[in-house]
Amino acid sequence: MVSRAESAASTRRALLDAAAELLDEGGPEAVTLRDVGARAGVSRGAPYGHFADKESLLAAVAAEGWERLGDEIAAQRGTPPDRLRGALSRLVTIGRRHPHRYRQMFGPPAGEEPGRVIRASCRTQEEFLAIVSELVDERDLHRYGALLFTGVSGIIAAELSGHFDTGTWRTSADDLVDTLVAIIADGRGLA
């Protein structure tokens, strides 16, 4: 027999999965507590028992996105440049496959528990900095870590906006990730 706690956890999981699907399909506007409940196959009032409002639900989706990304970055294997490339590529992949979720993750935290999103993003950033620390001096760690992390965010924004499709830049997001890794790994940008 399923306990009440297990049932609640299962319902919450179904709601989060349904919200992520709706977010991926149509952006934040497509996510309503009513539609999330219907997609999850639960009662009309069930979402309200787990989330105060839409913003809280979307914040929980964003926090889970950060947590998953942190796990994926921590799981990178190979040489430090390979691990760095893998971590940056994970960010690009999220932006490509789940652009609305990506924007939700990188937007200002909202909802009842903005601290959960902040904690999850900080943990992910620490996992990322652990990789960067193998390639740069301690005094440069945070500066280069932030440059890489925000640089890839700009690369993703340019790709999502279609700027690489115009032919002007004659490059791709993947090429730019490789360039960032080469700059750091080869020490050309370290002064």
Side-chain angles (χ1 to χ4, degrees):
M1 180 165 203
V2 176
S3 73
R4 178 176 237 167
E6 290 169 330
S7 177
S10 176
T11 298
R12 181 179 172 86
R13 173 81 269 136
L15 292 168
L16 286 166
D17 290 344
E21 290 170 7
L22 287 166
L23 180 63
D24 288 344
E25 291 169 9
E29 301 79 29
V31 179
T32 66
L33 291 177
R34 172 177 272 173
D35 289 341
V36 167
R39 171 78 58 106
V42 298
S43 71
R44 183 177 268 180
Y48 298 95
H50 294 271
F51 302 100
D53 51 29
K54 172 182 169 173
E55 289 75 26
S56 296
L57 175 57
L58 289 173
V61 170
E64 280 199 346
W66 278 112
E67 290 162 358
R68 193 171 300 118
L69 177 60
D71 292 344
E72 291 169 357
I73 289 173
Q76 295 297 313
R77 298 291 176 250
T79 66
D82 290 341
R83 291 175 46 226
L84 178 59
R85 183 177 291 102
L88 295 174
S89 294
R90 286 304 310 140
L91 280 166
V92 172
T93 298
I94 292 168
R96 283 179 177 155
R97 292 184 184 163
H98 309 286
H100 297 296
R101 197 178 318 182
Y102 176 85
R103 287 183 187 109
Q104 197 69 40
M105 289 168 61
F106 280 83
E112 288 182 299
E113 299 180 54
R116 180 175 175 212
V117 176
I118 292 167
R119 285 188 304 279
S121 68
C122 287
R123 180 199 154 237
T124 299
Q125 293 164 23
E126 290 297 326
E127 295 290 352
F128 181 75
L129 285 172
I131 295 171
V132 177
S133 72
E134 297 179 38
L135 294 163
V136 302
D137 291 335
E138 179 66 31
R139 66 179 161 71
D140 296 322
L141 174 61
H142 292 91
R143 182 168 44 121
Y144 282 106
L147 178 66
L148 288 163
F149 206 78
T150 59
V152 167
S153 293
I155 290 167
I156 294 165
E159 183 173 270
L160 292 176
S161 298
H163 291 292
F164 296 138
D165 297 337
T166 66
T168 302
W169 296 114
R170 298 182 186 148
T171 192
S172 68
D174 299 316
D175 289 342
L176 292 174
V177 166
D178 288 343
T179 301
L180 285 172
V181 172
I183 289 169
I184 297 301
D186 295 346
R188 290 194 298 250
L190 307 177

